[in-house]
Amino acid sequence: MKTYVLAAAALTLIACNAPPAAQQAEAQTPLAPSAQGAANRTPDVIYVPTPQETVDAMLKLAEVKSGDVVYDLGSGDGRIPITAAKSYGVKSVGIDIDPERIAEANQNAKAAGVTDRVTFRQADLFASDISEASVVTLYLLSSLNDKLRPKLMKELKPGTRVVSHAFPMTGWEPEQTVQTGGGVIYLWRIPKP
């Protein structure tokens, strides 16, 4: 037991006495230009990619069509916006707070040849303007969906479709619930005021 305590203490001393240049380099790493409006905090959920089968089912359930604008809140590697652009030819926007996910999503969009129709923003989805969306996709926790609901109601036009993978919203009965091989998905439409 003493050996482990001494080893832990030694590691702590080494970490605390790291060269100042290394500490400064880490502290001064600049944010990407697209991140300047984003909260400098950790994501609210861990990144778990949506299975492609579920992505396809979500977009089908949302009845994505020409002229739609798809927003994916918590867009991860970008597969939902990329699929919407590639399969339906629509404009898509992905919002994620994690700069690594944004970089990965941009690389994936480039590889898919859809950078003319897809934009990724490093930003806090709760602080982002989503009023342009006619379809919103989510793969968040129910608690985050519930927190997001007033924003959806305030910013989105009546008739805007909202599709969530795996997690419902408390007190808002979905219009449809569909079971896919990748899990359950829910569809709501923003009601008229």
Side-chain angles (χ1 to χ4, degrees):
M1 182 73 167
K2 284 184 181 181
T3 305
Y4 292 120
V5 172
L6 290 174
L11 287 173
T12 302
L13 283 173
I14 290 168
C16 289
N17 292 315
Q23 292 172 356
Q24 287 177 349
E26 185 175 324
Q28 293 178 1
T29 302
L31 289 175
S34 62
Q36 292 177 5
N40 190 12
R41 62 181 179 81
T42 58
D44 292 312
V45 295
I46 61 167
Y47 169 62
V48 177
T50 301
Q52 188 62 45
E53 174 187 356
T54 303
V55 169
D56 296 336
M58 290 173 77
L59 295 172
K60 182 179 177 183
L61 183 62
E63 299 174 350
V64 175
K65 61 189 176 308
S66 178
D68 275 331
V69 179
V70 175
Y71 269 59
D72 185 24
L73 306 183
S75 56
D77 66 2
R79 65 184 63 194
I80 293 176
I82 290 168
T83 301
K86 197 167 185 175
S87 298
Y88 296 91
V90 298
K91 177 181 174 185
S92 301
V93 178
I95 299 173
D96 203 295
I97 203 164
D98 187 337
E100 285 183 48
R101 296 286 74 82
I102 294 297
E104 181 181 10
N106 280 316
Q107 289 173 350
N108 292 339
K110 186 175 181 180
V114 294
T115 56
D116 60 326
R117 294 184 304 274
V118 178
T119 303
F120 292 101
R121 299 179 190 156
Q122 183 191 347
D124 181 336
L125 60 91
F126 291 101
S128 297
D129 179 0
I130 60 169
S131 61
E132 176 188 32
S134 55
V135 174
V136 172
T137 59
L138 310 168
Y139 187 16
L140 305 169
L141 300 173
S142 290
S143 60
L144 295 174
N145 285 355
D146 291 347
K147 183 179 173 184
L148 189 59
R149 184 176 165 193
K151 178 180 181 63
L152 298 173
M153 294 296 186
K154 179 181 178 185
E155 292 185 25
L156 298 176
K157 295 175 272 312
T160 299
R161 288 91 71 203
V162 178
V163 182
S164 176
H165 172 209
F167 298 99
M169 291 191 212
T170 306
W172 191 10
E173 198 63 35
E175 184 177 302
Q176 290 184 53
T177 302
V178 175
Q179 184 68 44
T180 71
V184 66
I185 53 178
Y186 303 91
L187 169 71
W188 300 268
R189 288 181 203 270
I190 301 298
K192 291 180 182 176

